[in-house]
Amino acid sequence: TFKVLRVLDGDTIHVSGEGLTYKVRLVGIDAPETGYRNKPAQPFGKASGSHLRSLVGGETVRLKSYGIDRYNRQLAEVFLAGTNINLEMVRSGLAEVYQGKRAPGLDDASYLHAQAAARQSGIGMWVQGAGYTSPREWRRQNRESRSSKNWDGFSRFLRWAKRLFRLAVQSD
Protein backbone atom coordinates (compact mmCIF):
# COMPACT_ATOMS: atom_id res chain seq x y z
CA THR A 1 0.00 0.00 0.00
CA PHE A 2 1.04 3.59 -0.66
CA LYS A 3 0.14 6.93 0.87
CA VAL A 4 -0.84 9.64 -1.63
CA LEU A 5 1.37 12.63 -0.84
CA ARG A 6 0.27 14.95 -3.63
CA VAL A 7 -2.01 15.07 -6.64
CA LEU A 8 -0.19 16.85 -9.46
CA ASP A 9 -3.03 16.87 -11.99
CA GLY A 10 -5.87 14.65 -13.20
CA ASP A 11 -3.63 11.72 -14.09
CA THR A 12 -0.46 12.02 -11.98
CA ILE A 13 0.16 11.58 -8.24
CA HIS A 14 3.09 11.31 -5.84
CA VAL A 15 2.97 8.38 -3.42
CA SER A 16 5.21 6.97 -0.72
CA GLY A 17 5.54 3.44 0.52
CA GLU A 18 8.04 0.69 1.07
CA GLY A 19 10.55 3.38 2.05
CA LEU A 20 10.38 5.08 -1.36
CA THR A 21 8.56 7.94 -3.07
CA TYR A 22 7.15 7.46 -6.56
CA LYS A 23 5.60 9.64 -9.22
CA VAL A 24 2.68 7.62 -10.57
CA ARG A 25 1.00 8.18 -13.93
CA LEU A 26 -2.50 6.72 -13.90
CA VAL A 27 -2.21 4.19 -16.71
CA GLY A 28 -4.78 3.99 -19.49
CA ILE A 29 -6.17 7.51 -19.04
CA ASP A 30 -5.34 11.03 -20.15
CA ALA A 31 -6.71 14.02 -18.26
CA PRO A 32 -7.03 17.59 -19.55
CA GLU A 33 -3.88 19.66 -19.02
CA THR A 34 -3.77 21.93 -15.98
CA GLY A 35 -1.47 24.51 -17.54
CA TYR A 36 2.20 25.06 -16.82
CA ARG A 37 5.01 27.47 -17.68
CA ASN A 38 2.55 30.35 -17.93
CA LYS A 39 0.33 28.37 -20.30
CA PRO A 40 -3.43 28.49 -19.80
CA ALA A 41 -5.12 25.37 -18.52
CA GLN A 42 -7.10 23.21 -20.91
CA PRO A 43 -10.86 23.34 -20.20
CA PHE A 44 -11.62 20.97 -17.30
CA GLY A 45 -7.91 20.61 -16.46
CA LYS A 46 -8.24 22.16 -13.01
CA ALA A 47 -11.53 20.33 -12.37
CA SER A 48 -9.89 17.03 -13.27
CA GLY A 49 -7.03 17.58 -10.81
CA SER A 50 -9.47 18.68 -8.10
CA HIS A 51 -11.62 15.61 -8.63
CA LEU A 52 -8.65 13.25 -8.39
CA ARG A 53 -7.53 15.10 -5.25
CA SER A 54 -11.00 14.62 -3.74
CA LEU A 55 -10.84 10.90 -4.51
CA VAL A 56 -7.32 10.02 -3.30
CA GLY A 57 -5.66 13.04 -1.66
CA GLY A 58 -4.00 11.85 1.57
CA GLU A 59 -5.46 8.37 1.21
CA THR A 60 -3.74 4.99 1.33
CA VAL A 61 -4.04 3.29 -2.05
CA ARG A 62 -3.00 0.09 -3.76
CA LEU A 63 -1.16 0.18 -7.09
CA LYS A 64 -1.22 -2.31 -9.93
CA SER A 65 1.94 -1.52 -11.86
CA TYR A 66 2.38 -1.71 -15.63
CA GLY A 67 6.02 -0.60 -15.73
CA ILE A 68 7.72 2.75 -16.10
CA ASP A 69 7.16 5.38 -18.80
CA ARG A 70 9.76 7.46 -20.63
CA TYR A 71 9.58 10.14 -17.92
CA ASN A 72 10.47 7.56 -15.27
CA ARG A 73 6.97 7.58 -13.78
CA GLN A 74 5.40 4.41 -12.48
CA LEU A 75 2.46 3.46 -14.74
CA ALA A 76 -0.27 2.06 -12.54
CA GLU A 77 -3.92 1.50 -11.90
CA VAL A 78 -4.75 3.09 -8.54
CA PHE A 79 -7.22 1.37 -6.23
CA LEU A 80 -8.89 2.81 -3.14
CA ALA A 81 -11.02 0.40 -1.12
CA GLY A 82 -11.29 -1.85 -4.19
CA THR A 83 -12.38 0.95 -6.53
CA ASN A 84 -10.36 1.55 -9.69
CA ILE A 85 -9.66 5.29 -9.50
CA ASN A 86 -8.40 5.47 -13.10
CA LEU A 87 -11.76 4.14 -14.26
CA GLU A 88 -13.60 6.56 -11.94
CA MET A 89 -11.83 9.49 -13.60
CA VAL A 90 -13.08 8.32 -17.01
CA ARG A 91 -16.60 7.65 -15.67
CA SER A 92 -16.75 11.18 -14.26
CA GLY A 93 -15.95 12.67 -17.66
CA LEU A 94 -12.72 14.20 -16.35
CA ALA A 95 -10.30 11.94 -18.24
CA GLU A 96 -10.37 10.10 -21.53
CA VAL A 97 -8.91 6.77 -22.55
CA TYR A 98 -5.22 7.27 -23.36
CA GLN A 99 -4.81 7.44 -27.16
CA GLY A 100 -1.11 6.52 -27.31
CA LYS A 101 0.57 3.16 -27.06
CA ARG A 102 -1.23 0.86 -24.62
CA ALA A 103 0.65 -0.48 -21.62
CA PRO A 104 1.29 -4.19 -22.12
CA GLY A 105 -1.23 -6.24 -20.18
CA LEU A 106 -3.74 -3.41 -19.64
CA ASP A 107 -7.29 -4.36 -20.61
CA ASP A 108 -8.89 -1.09 -21.67
CA ALA A 109 -12.35 -2.46 -22.55
CA SER A 110 -13.93 -1.15 -19.33
CA TYR A 111 -12.25 2.22 -19.89
CA LEU A 112 -13.63 2.49 -23.42
CA HIS A 113 -17.11 1.53 -22.21
CA ALA A 114 -16.97 4.13 -19.41
CA GLN A 115 -15.78 6.81 -21.84
CA ALA A 116 -18.61 6.07 -24.27
CA ALA A 117 -21.16 6.35 -21.45
CA ALA A 118 -19.70 9.62 -20.12
CA ARG A 119 -19.49 11.09 -23.60
CA GLN A 120 -23.07 10.09 -24.44
CA SER A 121 -24.28 11.61 -21.15
CA GLY A 122 -22.34 14.81 -21.83
CA ILE A 123 -20.77 14.89 -18.36
CA GLY A 124 -17.53 16.57 -17.39
CA MET A 125 -15.36 17.59 -20.32
CA TRP A 126 -17.77 15.94 -22.75
CA VAL A 127 -20.21 18.82 -22.25
CA GLN A 128 -18.03 20.70 -24.79
CA GLY A 129 -19.40 18.54 -27.61
CA ALA A 130 -17.75 19.34 -30.95
CA GLY A 131 -15.54 21.92 -29.23
CA TYR A 132 -13.74 19.24 -27.24
CA THR A 133 -9.99 18.84 -27.83
CA SER A 134 -8.27 15.74 -26.49
CA PRO A 135 -5.34 16.27 -24.11
CA ARG A 136 -3.06 14.63 -26.67
CA GLU A 137 -4.12 17.07 -29.40
CA TRP A 138 -3.96 20.03 -26.98
CA ARG A 139 -0.34 19.13 -26.11
CA ARG A 140 0.50 18.82 -29.81
CA GLN A 141 -1.00 22.23 -30.56
CA ASN A 142 0.89 23.84 -27.68
CA ARG A 143 4.21 22.07 -28.29
CA GLU A 144 5.13 24.41 -31.16
CA SER A 145 4.93 27.51 -29.02
CA ARG A 146 6.89 25.76 -26.24
CA SER A 147 9.71 24.78 -28.58
CA SER A 148 9.84 28.21 -30.20
CA LYS A 149 10.04 29.74 -26.73
CA ASN A 150 12.97 27.43 -25.96
CA TRP A 151 14.60 28.42 -29.24
CA ASP A 152 14.18 32.11 -28.33
CA GLY A 153 15.94 31.42 -25.03
CA PHE A 154 18.74 29.62 -26.82
CA SER A 155 19.09 32.50 -29.31
CA ARG A 156 19.40 34.96 -26.41
CA PHE A 157 22.07 32.75 -24.88
CA LEU A 158 24.03 32.68 -28.16
CA ARG A 159 23.88 36.48 -28.46
CA TRP A 160 25.09 36.81 -24.86
CA ALA A 161 27.93 34.32 -25.45
CA LYS A 162 28.99 36.20 -28.62
CA ARG A 163 29.11 39.52 -26.74
CA LEU A 164 31.08 37.90 -23.94
CA PHE A 165 33.53 36.41 -26.46
CA ARG A 166 33.95 39.79 -28.19
CA LEU A 167 34.66 41.46 -24.84
CA ALA A 168 37.21 38.80 -23.96
CA VAL A 169 38.96 39.19 -27.32
CA GLN A 170 38.94 43.01 -27.07
CA SER A 171 40.50 42.93 -23.60
CA ASP A 172 43.47 40.80 -24.82
Side-chain angles (χ1 to χ4, degrees):
T1 61
F2 296 87
K3 175 87 169 172
V4 176
L5 301 175
R6 185 172 172 215
V7 175
L8 300 174
D9 57 27
D11 54 27
T12 312
I13 60 176
H14 276 160
V15 299
S16 70
E18 302 174 2
L20 298 169
T21 300
Y22 298 97
K23 187 183 261 189
V24 177
R25 173 68 161 75
L26 278 64
V27 72
I29 72 169
D30 202 1
E33 298 297 321
T34 56
Y36 54 93
R37 296 184 189 147
N38 298 322
K39 294 279 183 201
Q42 185 176 5
F44 292 88
K46 302 273 189 218
S48 179
S50 294
H51 185 62
L52 183 56
R53 195 170 296 106
S54 75
L55 292 173
V56 299
E59 297 289 342
T60 299
V61 297
R62 189 175 56 81
L63 303 178
K64 181 178 179 184
S65 179
Y66 289 87
I68 295 174
D69 71 4
R70 65 183 176 160
Y71 302 108
N72 207 29
R73 298 175 296 191
Q74 193 68 226
L75 296 172
E77 285 181 305
V78 177
F79 294 89
L80 177 64
T83 300
N84 182 332
I85 299 301
N86 306 36
L87 190 55
E88 287 303 309
M89 291 298 294
V90 175
R91 281 188 182 127
S92 68
L94 293 171
E96 69 172 26
V97 176
Y98 183 66
Q99 296 178 16
K101 184 179 177 187
R102 299 280 185 260
L106 178 68
D107 179 10
D108 62 359
S110 58
Y111 290 91
L112 291 166
H113 180 73
Q115 178 174 290
R119 188 174 214 157
Q120 185 175 9
S121 299
I123 60 172
M125 62 193 186
W126 302 114
V127 74
Q128 298 171 83
Y132 171 73
T133 302
S134 75
R136 183 179 183 140
E137 177 61 20
W138 189 89
R139 286 189 299 273
R140 190 193 67 72
Q141 290 171 359
N142 287 279
R143 186 173 301 131
E144 295 162 16
S145 60
R146 235 182 16 239
S147 63
S148 66
K149 184 177 180 181
N150 290 342
W151 179 252
D152 289 344
F154 184 66
S155 297
R156 283 193 303 273
F157 168 75
L158 286 178
R159 286 192 302 270
W160 172 82
K162 251 183 178 173
R163 281 193 305 267
L164 187 63
F165 180 73
R166 272 191 238 128
L167 287 173
V169 169
Q170 288 172 356
S171 66
D172 284 345

